[in-house]
Amino acid sequence: MASANDPFQFKEFEEAGSLLEANRDAVTISIQDEDVKSDKQRKAGANGYEEDPLTDDDSTQLLSGQKESAPFWTFEYYQKFFDVETHHVKERIIGSVLPWPGKNFIHVYLRRNPDLYGPFWICTTLVFAIAISGNISNFLVHLGKPNYKYTPEFQKVTIAATAIFSYAWLVPLALWGFLLWRGNKIMNLVSYSFMEIVCVYGYSLAIYVPAVVIWILPFEWLRWFSVVVALCLSGSVLVMTFWPTVRDDHPKVMVATMAAIVTLNVLLAVGCKAYFFSKPEPDLPVTKSTPTAGIKIPST
Amino acid sequence: MAAAEEASRPFAGLSDVSISEDIPVEGDISVPVGSSRRDEEFSTLDEPVKETILRDLRAVGNKFIHVLYPKRSSALLRDWDLWGPLLLCVTLALLLQGGAADNDDQGGPQFAEVFVIVWFGSIIITLNSKLLGGTISFFQSLCVLGYCIMPLTVAMIVCRLVLLGSSGTVSFAVRLIVVTASFGWSTFASTAFLADSQPPNRKALVVYPVFLFYFVIGWMVLTFSPSQ
């Protein structure tokens, strides 16, 4: 359009690809919208690797950013799972506590950036919350009894930690393996990476932290009410997240998977409540603090 | 032939190298050492043992004072050491002994449990802050977290003294106030040192684990009940 000889004349910039026809090895930086970039990535991935100056190995590392895998024994590999900011974590916690029908947690909140910060610290908080709240509730229940000696029970921390961390890590592992196996049998399953499943499970435990604090108050009806509410919220997050993965599957498998997810969640909640929080029954013999594992002593 | 002969004897060709007369060659063949002041600083081998110990103790004490009045100083970070944290951890663990030790060991945390919680917790918090992109080094962070346990150790001493007197509700209220104040002080002190090394949009992500850490230690201090 303009004369090519005048250096001060504004020239339109052509696409990077055509500019680089002469020099295919040049490293280019293309500043685009994040969504456009990720769409491009997905398209490039779907079509296989075409010869494109922008997808040369080195420049791909620079352009597509963090997702190229460093070997898993380096520090940098784990650093990419902590690539979140404060408001991201806040949004994810709120999204897990207030699930909205139709909002798949992984698609809406994670957006291919699963983090390990949330799951790990939510689990740790829950462990200590359970131990401390259980201790306080025991103390309140047995307050005033003459032969009760207050003991801070520290091995409950270990037990709580084992239960919660194994739920938050082993169940996603099993679920991921199961989805992988089903994905081999049935094409076009929506599949999640292991980290995303861990992330969903970790964030779904966030609702239990206030629930556990409520369990301090020694009112049975309040405890059961909060258990039910917490179960509904966290269960619905999980169900809505995994529904698209099993929807196209055999109906028996679908029902079984959903039932397993919900059942494990229920088991965790009820088990924790029963083990760490003794029931406020006045005629309970006060020996050492043995766990009252949900066995209702029939009151006459 | 001559070349082959010469090549077979290394350095043979150098035997007749000479420098022409009109280039003055002079110099000083002496091993360059640092100034004598640097020399004195590093050779601490000859000083009395008391001097050596006192130097470390003074450094530790200096850092204690920095924790007492936490301002944004880099003294804790620059010359980190782990003596102070070790001292505080051992003191805290010893003070937490002798609790309501029933036969089933449910009385209080064992010595090892306190150690594990303090050191393992510090390591995990340090790893967390490094993974989030912090610029602080591993041992500097351990040093800061360890030194900032000092207010809680002081609270533990106060609690034990209060428990010597009475063990009722009033003493519980006093202990609660003391522990809460020292927990707040610890968290505030350590974030004063640590928060600068984080990018601003992740400060809360780094501060929360520190808060949890001192909360758990404060809980251990508060729930200590002596054996009657």
Side-chain angles (χ1 to χ4, degrees):
Chain A
M1 299 191 312
S3 63
N5 294 330
D6 187 359
F8 296 113
Q9 195 70 22
F10 182 76
K11 295 188 181 99
E12 288 295 326
F13 283 96
E14 305 156 21
E15 270 300 314
S18 49
L19 274 180
L20 284 175
E21 283 302 323
N23 183 11
R24 287 189 145 247
D25 293 318
V27 172
T28 59
I29 301 176
S30 65
I31 304 172
Q32 295 168 322
D33 231 19
E34 241 190 55
D35 292 339
V36 176
K37 190 163 67 161
S38 50
D39 276 339
K40 248 190 160 185
Q41 271 174 266
R42 267 185 236 139
K43 280 192 211 123
N47 301 341
Y49 286 101
E50 29 196 80
E51 274 304 307
D52 189 349
L54 290 177
T55 56
D56 266 343
D57 20 351
D58 283 343
S59 45
T60 317
Q61 295 248 359
L62 291 172
L63 293 175
S64 54
Q66 316 88 330
K67 298 310 172 200
E68 301 305 319
S69 53
F72 67 90
W73 55 84
T74 58
F75 194 67
E76 285 72 28
Y77 177 79
Y78 298 101
Q79 211 159 12
K80 70 174 188 269
F81 295 121
F82 281 78
D83 190 20
V84 280
E85 304 180 359
T86 311
H87 66 94
H88 288 152
V89 175
K90 260 195 279 199
E91 283 166 16
R92 290 176 188 190
I93 292 181
I94 293 179
S96 76
V97 166
L98 303 170
W100 202 249
K103 269 193 180 179
N104 186 326
F105 185 80
I106 289 187
H107 289 151
V108 172
Y109 291 101
L110 291 192
R111 280 200 193 138
R112 303 200 163 262
N113 188 20
D115 69 302
L116 279 182
Y117 177 89
F120 180 74
W121 287 109
I122 291 179
C123 288
T124 313
T125 310
L126 192 58
V127 164
F128 286 115
I130 284 188
I132 292 179
S133 308
N135 207 348
I136 296 181
S137 91
N138 267 338
F139 173 71
L140 285 180
V141 161
H142 296 130
L143 192 59
K145 297 219 171 74
N147 51 346
Y148 178 71
K149 185 84 186 97
Y150 169 72
T151 59
E153 297 142 336
F154 280 98
Q155 65 261 43
K156 294 211 161 170
V157 174
T158 329
I159 300 173
T162 316
I164 290 177
F165 273 98
S166 51
Y167 174 79
W169 287 87
L170 294 182
V171 173
L173 188 65
L175 195 59
W176 173 71
F178 174 74
L179 287 178
L180 213 61
W181 172 59
R182 296 308 296 178
N184 281 340
K185 301 200 156 195
I186 301 169
M187 293 298 122
N188 72 349
L189 262 192
V190 176
S191 71
Y192 300 130
S193 71
F194 173 61
M195 283 299 167
E196 288 171 342
I197 301 184
V198 166
C199 207
V200 170
Y201 264 86
Y203 278 105
S204 76
L205 289 176
I207 182 65
Y208 286 113
V209 174
V212 161
V213 173
I214 290 181
W215 293 352
I216 293 180
L217 305 171
F219 303 120
E220 258 327 277
W221 62 269
L222 182 63
R223 286 183 183 176
W224 280 111
F225 176 70
S226 59
V227 165
V228 167
V229 167
L231 271 179
C232 286
L233 288 175
S234 91
S236 64
V237 168
L238 290 175
V239 163
M240 279 196 295
T241 307
F242 290 106
W243 177 250
T245 64
V246 289
R247 169 176 56 196
D248 306 320
D249 208 343
H250 196 250
K252 276 195 194 155
V253 172
M254 180 175 74
V255 168
T257 316
M258 288 295 138
I261 293 179
V262 171
T263 312
L264 284 169
N265 204 4
V266 168
L267 272 180
L268 180 78
V270 175
C272 281
K273 177 186 175 305
Y275 183 70
F276 293 102
F277 296 84
S278 56
K279 301 219 176 10
E281 296 200 21
D283 46 334
L284 206 67
V286 179
T287 53
K288 308 181 214 169
S289 42
T290 47
T292 62
I295 302 172
K296 283 222 181 288
I297 299 178
S299 45
T300 50
Chain B
M1 296 166 306
E5 240 181 52
E6 278 184 13
S8 65
R9 283 178 296 142
F11 305 118
L14 293 175
S15 57
D16 54 350
V17 165
S18 68
I19 303 175
S20 82
E21 295 292 328
D22 49 4
I23 300 176
V25 176
E26 54 185 58
D28 190 352
I29 305 180
S30 57
V31 178
V33 292
S35 59
S36 54
R37 187 175 53 88
R38 242 184 67 194
D39 222 13
E40 275 161 17
E41 273 185 24
F42 282 109
S43 89
T44 55
L45 207 53
D46 296 329
E47 63 178 12
V49 174
K50 183 181 78 154
E51 185 67 34
T52 315
I53 296 180
L54 274 182
R55 184 178 43 241
D56 276 333
L57 279 181
R58 257 183 248 125
V60 168
N62 188 29
K63 294 203 193 65
F64 278 149
I65 295 179
H66 276 280
V67 172
L68 278 179
Y69 304 108
K71 344 179 254 293
R72 270 159 210 263
S73 77
S74 59
L76 232 69
L77 296 181
R78 231 182 11 233
D79 321 307
W80 60 266
D81 72 87
L82 292 178
W83 283 114
L86 182 67
L87 205 62
L88 287 169
C89 185
V90 168
T91 313
L92 189 64
L94 284 177
L95 286 173
L96 279 169
Q97 295 305 299
D102 300 329
N103 297 337
D104 52 1
D105 286 347
Q106 280 197 5
Q110 303 295 317
F111 189 86
E113 283 172 3
V114 177
F115 248 80
V116 161
I117 288 183
V118 168
W119 288 100
F120 203 53
S122 302
I123 290 176
I124 292 209
I125 294 177
T126 308
L127 277 180
N128 177 63
S129 95
K130 285 191 79 72
L131 281 169
L132 282 170
T135 55
I136 202 172
S137 95
F138 184 74
F139 287 108
Q140 279 173 348
S141 170
L142 281 187
C143 170
V144 168
L145 287 168
Y147 270 102
C148 290
I149 295 183
M150 192 185 77
L152 282 165
T153 311
V154 169
M156 184 71 216
I157 297 176
V158 170
C159 282
R160 279 211 93 149
L161 291 176
V162 167
L163 280 170
L164 279 182
S166 67
S167 169
T169 319
V170 172
S171 90
F172 178 74
V174 169
R175 281 185 292 143
L176 182 65
I177 295 175
V178 168
V179 170
T180 313
S182 60
F183 153 70
W185 190 358
S186 287
T187 313
F188 172 68
S190 65
T191 53
F193 293 117
L194 287 179
D196 283 341
S197 64
Q198 288 296 327
N201 51 357
R202 292 182 180 177
K203 279 212 170 50
L205 295 185
V206 171
V207 167
Y208 171 71
V210 175
F211 168 86
L212 188 65
F213 176 63
Y214 289 123
F215 185 81
V216 169
I217 296 185
W219 173 256
M220 287 199 304
V221 169
L222 182 63
T223 61
F224 174 77
S225 61
S227 55
Q228 296 295 342

